[in-house]
Amino acid sequence: DAKTTQPTSMDCAEGRAANLPCNHSTISGNEYVYWYRQIHSQGPQYIIHGLKNNETNEMASLIITEDRKSSTLILPHATLRDTAVYYCIVRGNDYKLSFGAGTTVTVRA
Amino acid sequence: DVKVTQSSRYLVKRTGEKVFLECVQDMDHENMFWYRQDPGLGLRLIYFSYDVKMKEKGDIPEGYSVSREKKERFSLILESASTNQTSMYLCASSRSHGRLYGYTFGSGTRLTVV
């Protein structure tokens, strides 16, 4: 599976959009981009995934660049409950998900 | 609400004990996984199962075994618990064509071996 690079941490103001970048320059054609988050002392929670088209669900939007070498997770109106570690994962045919260190997002009032 | 349930939230065991961590899912998922999470090391895959009675080793299977006798239940067994197995243990499940679906995780079991 391709490796990903994310910033270690970022802050966001409550009510504003949070844009979380992820680089995956070695991604191959059949690999999906997944985003998960983990709130303190809980199990990771699935947010969204995509292959090459932009995706949106009730939690977030995923924007994937045309060359697929990077993506951005957008939380449109961040709340204090969105404070968590966010993981960007690239996954191919393998069963397993490989989690990196993720981005610690702190939403401030 | 669909869920993955882990039997214990917190567990304290003695060195050398045989420890069973239980995980049950109600989504009829084919795949089930056990991860452990440690500060600075992230989540590491211990074992996974893609069908009843089937299992495959993950990245760190040493000191662990698993059992999947029923589709909904996946057990992690520490044959002889050691202090370096003190960790947060996370169970997850997914559909068979898992690449197209996300994983659903349980809330975790924080195991302390003393």
Side-chain angles (χ1 to χ4, degrees):
Chain A
D1 290 343
K3 292 196 181 297
T4 62
T5 304
Q6 298 178 253
T8 303
S9 64
M10 62 184 295
D11 285 0
C12 176
E14 188 178 22
R16 304 295 293 270
N19 297 291
L20 284 63
C22 180
N23 286 320
H24 31 79
S25 58
T26 60
I27 193 170
S28 61
N30 66 345
E31 290 180 318
Y32 282 70
V33 179
Y34 283 79
W35 283 85
Y36 283 76
R37 73 180 183 184
Q38 188 172 24
I39 296 170
H40 184 62
S41 296
Q42 297 183 22
Q45 177 189 23
Y46 165 79
I47 301 173
I48 199 166
H49 74 282
L51 183 62
K52 53 184 177 182
N53 297 322
N54 298 337
E55 303 287 345
T56 296
N57 63 20
E58 64 279 3
M59 290 182 68
S61 295
L62 174 61
I63 308 298
I64 302 174
T65 57
E66 194 168 341
D67 64 6
R68 302 207 328 120
K69 294 185 177 183
S70 65
S71 60
T72 301
L73 179 75
I74 301 171
L75 308 177
H77 304 287
T79 71
L80 299 179
R81 288 175 294 181
D82 291 322
T83 292
V85 179
Y86 287 77
Y87 299 98
C88 170
I89 300 164
V90 171
R91 181 179 173 215
N93 292 318
D94 199 345
Y95 282 109
K96 66 181 184 183
L97 288 177
S98 296
F99 288 77
T103 297
T104 299
V105 174
T106 304
V107 180
R108 302 191 186 280
Chain B
D1 195 16
V2 294
K3 60 175 58 174
V4 174
T5 303
Q6 294 183 230
S7 55
S8 303
R9 191 80 174 95
Y10 298 94
L11 211 52
V12 180
K13 295 292 183 180
R14 296 193 180 277
T15 301
E17 275 193 77
K18 190 169 186 175
V19 181
F20 293 85
L21 302 183
E22 303 289 344
C23 175
V24 177
Q25 51 97 1
D26 64 1
M27 296 165 283
D28 201 35
H29 283 172
E30 291 79 11
N31 300 333
M32 296 188 75
F33 308 82
W34 275 106
Y35 285 83
R36 65 177 280 179
Q37 184 173 27
D38 302 287
L41 297 176
L43 279 83
R44 293 178 292 168
L45 181 65
I46 304 171
Y47 266 98
F48 66 97
S49 169
Y50 52 89
D51 201 353
V52 176
K53 297 191 186 295
M54 305 302 291
K55 61 184 179 184
E56 286 202 24
K57 294 179 180 179
D59 298 320
I60 51 163
E62 297 78 19
Y64 302 95
S65 62
V66 291
S67 172
R68 190 154 180 216
E69 296 296 318
K70 293 185 178 181
K71 189 176 186 179
E72 67 271 17
R73 186 179 297 269
F74 192 36
S75 303
L76 180 69
I77 304 156
L78 285 65
E79 298 291 344
S80 177
S82 64
T83 55
N84 63 13
Q85 292 178 310
T86 291
S87 186
M88 168 70 91
Y89 289 88
L90 291 158
C91 176
S93 71
S94 74
R95 290 190 184 279
S96 59
H97 298 293
R99 192 160 63 108
L100 301 179
Y101 300 93
Y103 284 24
T104 301
F105 280 85
S107 297
T109 296
R110 188 165 293 281
L111 173 67
T112 302
V113 182
V114 298

